[in-house]
Amino acid sequence: MTSTEREKVLSALREKPLKLYEIMRRTNIANEEACQSLLLKMRDEGLVKFDIHKGRWHLG
């Protein structure tokens, strides 16, 4: 994943919490596993969080 994709994800999440497929659509990341991997890496860095009850990612 490139830093550009990271910025696109952060930009999309600034608007509102999103589900995985919504993030993929807004950022043009076609590979679900690559997008999930990027989100998990960003979660480990404290940039984003996952709301397990709503199934949405949001800024950390």
Side-chain angles (χ1 to χ4, degrees):
M1 291 285 136
T2 66
S3 61
T4 306
E5 289 171 330
R6 292 170 65 90
E7 286 303 316
K8 286 181 181 178
V9 168
L10 291 173
S11 177
L13 291 176
R14 278 187 196 103
E15 296 175 31
K16 64 180 181 178
L18 299 168
K19 293 188 176 190
L20 176 65
Y21 293 108
E22 295 169 329
I23 293 171
M24 290 173 61
R25 194 173 20 216
R26 287 178 182 233
T27 59
N28 292 323
I29 299 174
N31 185 323
E32 179 181 347
E33 289 155 9
C35 187
Q36 186 77 29
S37 174
L38 174 62
L39 287 166
L40 291 173
K41 199 175 296 180
M42 291 171 70
R43 184 192 66 185
D44 291 345
E45 295 169 6
L47 296 173
V48 299
K49 292 184 179 180
F50 183 72
D51 182 336
I52 196 160
H53 301 290
K54 296 180 181 175
R56 297 184 187 276
W57 290 90
H58 56 92
L59 291 180

